[in-house]
Amino acid sequence: MSGGYTPGMSEKGAAAQHAAGPSVTGRALAVLDSFDQTHRRQSLAAISRRTGLPLTTVHRLVHELERHGALARGADGDYEIGSKIWRLGTLASVHVELREVALPYMEDVYQLANDAVQIAVLDGLRILVVDRIAGSRSIEVLSKPGSRLPLHATGVGKVLLAFGGQELQDAVLGSLDRYTDSTITDAPTLKAQLLTIRSQGFAVTREELAPGATSVAVPLRGKGGTVIAALGVVSSSDNAEISRMVPVLQVTAAALSKKLAQSGLGEASRLR
Amino acid sequence: MSGGYTPGMSEKGAAAQHAAGPSVTGRALAVLDSFDQTHRRQSLAAISRRTGLPLTTVHRLVHELERHGALARGADGDYEIGSKIWRLGTLASVHVELREVALPYMEDVYQLANDAVQIAVLDGLRILVVDRIAGSRSIEVLSKPGSRLPLHATGVGKVLLAFGGQELQDAVLGSLDRYTDSTITDAPTLKAQLLTIRSQGFAVTREELAPGATSVAVPLRGKGGTVIAALGVVSSSDNAEISRMVPVLQVTAAALSKKLAQSGLGEASRLR
DNA sequence: CAAGAACTTCCATCTCATGGAAGTTTCGCA
DNA sequence: TGCGAAACTTCCATGAGATGGAAGTTCTTG
């Protein structure tokens, strides 16, 4: 009432669990954000637990979101992301323009490589897999569209890192998680590799993220020559010929880059 | 104001511009919803105009949404859907599970048909294009992933309609928009065709949505045999052999349906 | 069949969204 | 190059709408 209400910067020390801020919008997005690759369908209570929001609040929000098609309720009562969100996501231009333009070229690569072909952009300190093509029996890869994978242990990631800003490299080189025996966790080693990648124009990984998977990748450039994405092939490790794909990727990348520049891509991919 | 607010079924006649309801969540979603295929990037003022919300309100909401990555600001200051939304959309199971499972099969069809291959589900009274494969030079089709197209003028649409509920058919047959000279706008005619489609298991359209485009489509079934999606090929009209694709589609659909049933698809696709 | 968990409804309290007004920046045009 | 208009941003008094504890209902599980 009449009394207090100090603007902001008061708490912070206390709970401060979910940095959602007190706004309704923030809370609604926190609810949506509680869904991820391993929590695609959640019960009300689960959402409440994961967001730290009181059950009643979640209940209200979730129902409102459902009414608008942002969430959908599965047959078992669990909730999942609704088609409205999917449709909207379809409009995210970096990804969609990229995807629209790139898919046909990825097809071409796929025909030659017969291994999983993927394309990714930078998203914070990880790669965001924008799209991927894989035959009915390509090796089981971790990357699905929407996956966020580490920069230093994937082919596309190394490319984006090598051509990324100093600021980005510093942040990533600061902490290199290990995924397999072959993961490069030594900053100087990686740094040297990045230089090579820059000069030779492609990157290679050998079982650095998952055992049995090898990949090569090349950069994609937009307007003005800025690297805005990376194109790569992931194959099973026993395929010694994977480096054979480099020229194919490079030719494709050249053609694709021209197209991308035309369709106006070229900003994007900033480190948030 | 102070007065009324009868629960539901009141307005409809009057303005009723944006049936957003007074909730914050509703308003935030209205902002997001103001983005569509033809309005992928919008200025603050444009959003305000299109949603009917006061500029100040939009200003606040948009900034909040941007802070959370739900919107992104392009280089020119315009806003667009952000990668957070895209990533979330990636989790929408009907579409993603569907897409994940179906893409390889679509590949196979594409190799044989060499024409645009698409897959769609029901979304209200339209189809929602879930995915599409097209070579670098397939005919320019209207369907991109995320497009919502009419049920009675597309191959996939007719399939979904033919296998849809009575309620759905009634609603659609009630108003059949015309797109070309060949569009079927006579309810009895269409009704007869739907029966044929049900019995023979595939649908054909000839220039009913856009001149020069022909398509064939077959149903995809999930757990329990319910039709949950449709698979189709779109080709240029002078391709007399398009019906040659029917067996291919049917074989593929059979295999795909089995897979879909396995991965638990089978609810979804209800008429909201 | 009982106990606990998940979900829903209710409602008094007060926080936070609201949107008009006014100030600042950007843009288009002469 | 300068002026008017449009786009954007900041401010803040007000009250609409969000909040969440409590209690009731329905589903699970042992």
Side-chain angles (χ1 to χ4, degrees):
Chain A
M1 58 208 68
S2 51
Y5 183 43
T6 29
M9 42 181 33
S10 50
E11 37 192 68
K12 173 61 174 280
Q17 260 275 36
H18 47 93
S23 80
V24 189
T25 313
R27 250 162 296 202
L29 285 174
V31 166
L32 291 177
D33 233 1
S34 73
F35 290 83
D36 63 31
Q37 213 100 228
T38 56
H39 298 84
R40 285 239 300 261
R41 333 183 100 251
Q42 298 182 97
S43 70
L44 213 51
I47 299 175
S48 165
R49 254 177 274 117
R50 279 169 57 78
T51 56
L53 295 171
L55 184 65
T56 321
T57 302
V58 171
H59 180 255
R60 189 169 9 86
L61 283 173
V62 161
H63 274 253
E64 180 94 27
L65 290 170
E66 189 196 0
R67 267 192 346 98
H68 289 279
L71 288 179
R73 190 206 285 267
D76 54 356
D78 280 10
Y79 292 91
E80 65 178 23
I81 298 293
S83 65
K84 159 85 111 304
I85 297 285
W86 178 78
R87 215 168 62 226
L88 286 172
T90 258
L91 303 171
S93 89
V94 195
H95 313 284
V96 176
E97 283 171 15
L98 191 54
R99 180 181 187 278
E100 278 294 307
V101 178
L103 234 179
Y105 291 85
M106 293 172 69
E107 291 299 335
D108 298 345
V109 175
Y110 175 66
Q111 307 252 354
L112 292 169
N114 240 294
D115 277 311
V117 179
Q118 60 177 288
I119 192 171
V121 299
L122 194 61
D123 188 49
L125 297 181
R126 316 210 109 200
I127 63 161
L128 180 59
V129 178
V130 172
D131 210 348
R132 136 171 188 244
I133 295 185
S136 6
R137 81 268 158 266
S138 302
I139 65 167
E140 186 57 30
V141 262
L142 295 166
S143 61
K144 300 171 186 258
S147 297
R148 302 178 78 232
L149 302 173
L151 284 169
H152 68 288
T154 55
V156 284
K158 283 192 200 168
V159 166
L160 292 173
L161 192 51
F163 290 91
Q166 191 57 51
E167 192 185 349
L168 174 69
Q169 294 196 6
D170 292 345
V172 172
L173 288 172
S175 76
L176 299 170
D177 291 334
R178 171 173 297 287
Y179 299 96
T180 70
D181 289 348
S182 309
T183 307
I184 300 173
T185 54
D186 179 55
T189 309
L190 182 55
K191 200 153 195 171
Q193 226 183 72
L194 293 180
L195 282 176
T196 314
I197 292 168
R198 262 189 101 99
S199 64
Q200 70 185 11
F202 68 90
V204 180
T205 58
R206 300 191 184 284
E207 316 203 309
E208 290 162 39
L209 179 62
T214 302
S215 73
V216 292
V218 298
L220 295 176
R221 297 162 187 279
K223 199 153 49 188
T226 4
V227 172
I228 55 171
L231 172 71
V233 173
V234 183
S235 173
S236 87
S237 304
D238 52 6
N239 179 1
E241 310 170 40
I242 192 169
S243 52
R244 202 194 49 182
M245 290 308 300
V246 171
V248 175
L249 286 176
Q250 286 181 322
V251 170
T252 308
L256 223 179
S257 294
K258 205 177 295 177
K259 269 276 164 116
L260 291 174
Q262 279 170 22
S263 59
L265 273 269
E267 48 263 22
S269 68
R270 69 196 128 137
L271 168 66
R272 192 186 311 282
Chain B
M1 41 202 66
S2 56
Y5 185 46
T6 30
M9 43 180 36
S10 52
E11 36 191 63
K12 175 60 175 286
Q17 264 276 33
H18 48 93
S23 80
V24 190
T25 312
R27 252 163 295 205
L29 286 174
V31 166
L32 291 177
D33 231 1
S34 73
F35 290 81
D36 63 32
Q37 212 100 230
T38 56
H39 299 83
R40 286 238 302 257
R41 334 182 100 251
Q42 299 182 98
S43 69
L44 212 52
I47 299 175
S48 165
R49 255 177 273 118
R50 279 169 56 78
T51 55
L53 295 171
L55 184 64
T56 320
T57 302
V58 172
H59 179 257
R60 188 168 12 85
L61 284 173
V62 161
H63 276 252
E64 180 94 26
L65 290 170
E66 189 195 359
R67 263 188 354 93
H68 289 279
L71 288 179
R73 190 206 285 267
D76 54 357
D78 279 9
Y79 291 93
E80 65 177 25
I81 298 294
S83 65
K84 159 84 110 306
I85 297 285
W86 179 78
R87 217 169 59 226
L88 286 172
T90 257
L91 303 171
S93 90
V94 195
H95 312 286
V96 176
E97 282 170 17
L98 190 54
R99 181 181 188 279
E100 277 297 308
V101 179
L103 233 178
Y105 292 85
M106 293 172 70
E107 292 298 337
D108 298 344
V109 175
Y110 176 66
Q111 308 251 356
L112 292 170
N114 239 294
D115 277 310
V117 180
Q118 60 178 284
I119 192 170
V121 299
L122 196 59
D123 187 48
L125 297 181
R126 317 208 109 203
I127 63 161
L128 180 59
V129 178
V130 171
D131 209 349
R132 137 173 184 238
I133 295 184
S136 5
R137 79 272 158 265
S138 301
I139 64 167
E140 186 56 32
V141 262
L142 295 167
S143 61
K144 301 172 187 255
S147 297
R148 303 179 77 232
L149 302 174
L151 284 169
H152 67 288
T154 55
V156 282
K158 281 191 200 169
V159 166
L160 293 174
L161 193 52
F163 290 92
Q166 191 57 48
E167 194 184 349
L168 173 68
Q169 295 198 3
D170 291 345
V172 172
L173 289 172
S175 76
L176 299 170
D177 292 334
R178 171 173 295 286
Y179 300 95
T180 69
D181 289 349
S182 309
T183 307
I184 300 172
T185 54
D186 179 57
T189 308
L190 182 55
K191 198 151 196 172
Q193 227 182 71
L194 294 180
L195 282 176
T196 314
I197 292 168
R198 263 190 101 101
S199 64
Q200 70 186 10
F202 68 91
V204 181
T205 58
R206 301 191 184 283
E207 316 204 306
E208 289 163 39
L209 180 61
T214 301
S215 73
V216 293
V218 300
L220 295 177
R221 296 162 188 281
K223 197 152 50 188
T226 5
V227 172
I228 55 171
L231 171 71
V233 172
V234 184
S235 171
S236 85
S237 304
D238 51 7
N239 180 359
E241 308 170 42
I242 192 169
S243 52
R244 203 195 46 184
M245 290 308 299
V246 170
V248 175
L249 286 175
Q250 287 182 321
V251 170
T252 308
L256 224 179
S257 295
K258 204 176 296 176
K259 270 272 163 120
L260 290 175
Q262 277 170 21
S263 60
L265 272 269
E267 47 263 22
S269 71
R270 70 195 126 137
L271 167 67
R272 191 187 314 282

